[in-house]
Amino acid sequence: MVPSGLLPGVCRTSPIALLLVCCLLPPGAQGQQFPLRLDVQSPVVPAGGSLLVNCSTDCPNPKLITLETSLSKEPVGNGLGWAAFQLSNVTSNSQVLCSGFCDGTQMTSSSNITVYRFPERVELLPLPRWQPVGENLTLRCQVAGGAPRDSLFVVLLRGEEELSRHPASGEPAEVEVTVPVLAGRDDHLANFSCRTDLDLRPQGLRLFQNISAPRQLRTFGFQGPILNLSEPSAPEGTAVIVTCLAGPRVQVTLEGLPAAAPGQPAQFQLNATERDDRRIFFCNASLEMDGKILHRNSSVQLRVLYGPKIDQAKCPQRLTWKDKTLNVLQCEARGNPDPQLHCFQESSGLEVPIGIPFLVRLNYSGTYSCKAASSQGTHTMTVVMNVRDRNSRAVTIVLGVLVVLGLVTIVAALLCVFSVQKRSDIYHVNQASTWLPLTSKQPEVATGEDPS
């Protein structure tokens, strides 16, 4: 649309000439030499608040100046080149747009409206009833609500002292900030709290602060329990005294044996043996505070120095292996400090590896001396290794077959002799029966028949 009153001669030219002239004209020549201004009373408003927006221009013949927004608006005034609107119940961030026409050309101008909210809840969670001195105290601050989030910070306080500051960025409805603080003796009856800082100074407003109700901390000095060994690293057979103690009013219990009275140490003595190496001793300390019993534990480990010992159950004294086969010599030795274990052939000094597969040869046959050594002494064990030739099995089989054949032959011969002897005994029995009486027998003749 060509603005009225703008270069009348141009309108009588051809369309191509009009297009060329219009393209070559500066923007102001097309009606934009008079911008539309948008003035906001305050672009940052509290949630639910209201603000005044004014749209204005220096155009001599403006038309249709209005405000476009999703917020609830109401015109509050207008005049030549201006119009004012009241926005109410602003609950969310939004954008407003002023628009109008100057000599038939549309003018626009926009601005962002930011809504801020104070946190709905700022709370420091309860502190321990009693806090031991020298241990970390965990401060936990919960903040619900608050906007804009990128301008909101959570501050942990000891009295008026700022302990830490953390941004409450993000969009969750609730944020929790956790800060560990080492409790000291000076913290007894100190007040702790947390505060939110909504910093809107960059937007032309001020710093808004909300602070939680303070919580008072009570601390107590709970020394120990302190658990000591008279000899932390004792040679075998040494007398070791184990002692546990704590501060006044504290009852200690060592290995199940309570001290004589609160504030008194508990102790006992033992003669260190190999079985006590790496033994852990425990001590428990208890203190009653306002009807509540508090507990703390401590532990210490005893190291006993003892000489090397080769475990006979894990180191066989006689071994039978075959030539050119892989085998492992399994031997273990214990001791503190850990001993070094080596096995040498007594005749040649040949060393065989321990715990590692190796190829056995015939010359490995013999007696070996296995020796474990450390700074606490030595221990020796004898191992006999018998290596057989791999062909000995065939010889053994042949000899076995020959022995079996021999046994079969002997058995067969014995059976034959026994059989001959048995037949001879039957013959003599028949001869012995000849003494029985003998009778003659005549042919019988039938009665009534003549012989012929």
Side-chain angles (χ1 to χ4, degrees):
M1 176 179 180
V2 179
S4 61
L6 179 61
L7 298 177
V10 175
C11 298
R12 295 191 293 268
T13 59
S14 64
I16 297 178
L18 176 61
L19 179 62
L20 180 60
V21 171
C22 291
C23 292
L24 294 176
L25 288 176
Q30 301 184 43
Q32 293 296 330
Q33 67 270 33
F34 302 110
L36 184 63
R37 295 183 297 272
L38 190 156
D39 298 318
V40 181
Q41 182 182 15
S42 175
V44 181
V45 295
S50 61
L51 70 157
L52 184 66
V53 178
N54 186 50
C55 302
S56 62
T57 180
D58 294 330
C59 177
N61 188 26
K63 294 182 180 180
L64 301 177
I65 297 178
T66 186
L67 179 67
E68 298 178 7
T69 178
S70 60
L71 301 174
S72 176
K73 68 178 180 179
E74 181 180 356
V76 294
N78 61 76
L80 181 61
W82 68 273
F85 303 87
Q86 182 75 28
L87 304 182
S88 60
N89 193 26
V90 182
T91 58
S92 61
N93 297 342
S94 60
Q95 186 182 61
V96 293
L97 177 70
C98 281
S99 66
F101 291 89
C102 178
D103 294 331
T105 301
Q106 188 176 23
M107 304 174 293
T108 61
S109 180
S110 64
S111 177
N112 292 322
I113 305 299
T114 301
V115 174
Y116 67 88
R117 292 183 177 86
F118 300 133
E120 302 167 6
R121 180 171 61 88
V122 181
E123 181 184 5
L124 181 68
L125 297 187
L127 302 178
R129 182 179 178 86
W130 286 95
Q131 173 67 28
V133 172
E135 294 188 3
N136 274 336
L137 165 70
T138 301
L139 301 178
R140 299 171 59 197
C141 180
Q142 290 184 348
V143 177
R149 283 285 182 164
D150 55 1
S151 299
L152 186 64
F153 298 87
V154 181
V155 182
L156 275 299
L157 302 170
R158 180 197 283 117
E160 300 296 328
E161 177 190 0
E162 184 174 309
L163 298 176
S164 64
R165 173 182 292 264
H166 304 269
S169 58
E171 293 300 329
E174 183 173 290
V175 63
E176 180 174 300
V177 175
T178 302
V179 176
V181 177
L182 186 64
R185 294 186 179 274
D186 296 337
D187 292 324
H188 183 59
L189 302 182
N191 288 324
F192 290 83
S193 60
C194 63
R195 185 187 72 213
T196 57
D197 289 354
L198 185 60
D199 192 359
L200 300 179
R201 289 173 292 186
Q203 288 81 14
L205 297 179
R206 62 184 181 88
L207 174 66
F208 298 94
Q209 295 181 328
N210 285 13
I211 190 167
S212 70
R215 295 189 183 275
Q216 192 176 70
L217 180 67
R218 294 188 295 176
T219 64
F220 64 93
F222 202 160
Q223 282 89 2
I226 301 173
L227 188 56
N228 287 324
L229 299 175
S230 60
E231 295 285 344
S233 183
E236 189 174 22
T238 303
V240 178
I241 300 176
V242 185
T243 305
C244 181
L245 55 90
R249 300 174 51 216
V250 180
Q251 176 79 41
V252 295
T253 303
L254 177 61
E255 294 291 300
L257 300 176
Q264 297 297 316
Q267 65 177 210
F268 68 90
Q269 177 178 318
L270 76 154
N271 289 325
T273 65
E274 175 187 345
R275 292 179 298 178
D276 295 317
D277 185 36
R278 302 179 186 274
R279 178 178 173 182
I280 299 177
F281 299 92
F282 294 93
C283 180
N284 175 266
S286 58
L287 175 65
E288 183 178 353
M289 299 289 294
D290 291 343
K292 182 180 180 181
I293 299 180
L294 306 175
H295 296 276
R296 290 188 67 181
N297 298 315
S298 183
S299 64
V300 68
Q301 187 181 63
L302 173 65
R303 295 306 308 269
V304 178
L305 303 176
Y306 62 96
K309 295 182 182 179
I310 302 176
D311 193 341
Q312 294 186 0
K314 298 181 180 180
C315 189
Q317 283 76 61
R318 299 193 67 86
L319 298 169
T320 300
W321 289 333
K322 295 178 182 179
D323 182 31
K324 299 179 181 179
T325 59
L326 285 176
N327 292 278
V328 179
L329 177 60
Q330 300 286 1
C331 279
E332 295 183 10
R334 63 182 185 275
N336 187 21
D338 294 332
Q340 298 293 322
L341 181 60
H342 299 276
C343 291
F344 296 91
Q345 193 178 52
E346 294 182 351
S347 59
S348 65
L350 173 68
E351 181 178 7
V352 293
I354 300 174
I356 302 175
F358 65 97
L359 185 66
V360 176
R361 305 304 297 266
L362 289 174
N363 62 331
Y364 280 63
S365 289
T367 301
Y368 289 80
S369 177
C370 294
K371 182 179 180 181
S374 72
S375 60
Q376 299 298 308
T378 60
H379 184 222
T380 303
M381 179 179 291
T382 299
V383 176
V384 177
M385 188 184 303
N386 182 22
V387 181
R388 294 181 177 179
D389 192 349
R390 298 183 66 177
N391 297 326
S392 61
R393 181 178 179 182
V395 175
T396 302
I397 293 175
V398 172
L399 292 176
V401 171
L402 293 176
V403 170
V404 171
L405 291 176
L407 291 175
V408 170
T409 303
I410 294 173
V411 171
L414 291 176
L415 289 176
C416 290
V417 172
F418 179 76
S419 177
V420 172
Q421 183 66 34
K422 184 176 181 180
R423 287 198 299 269
S424 175
D425 291 343
I426 294 174
Y427 173 78
H428 289 298
V429 170
N430 290 336
Q431 283 185 346
S433 63
T434 56
W435 65 273
L436 294 175
L438 299 176
T439 58
S440 61
K441 186 177 181 179
Q442 295 293 330
E444 296 180 357
V445 179
T447 304
E449 291 185 336
D450 294 331
S452 60

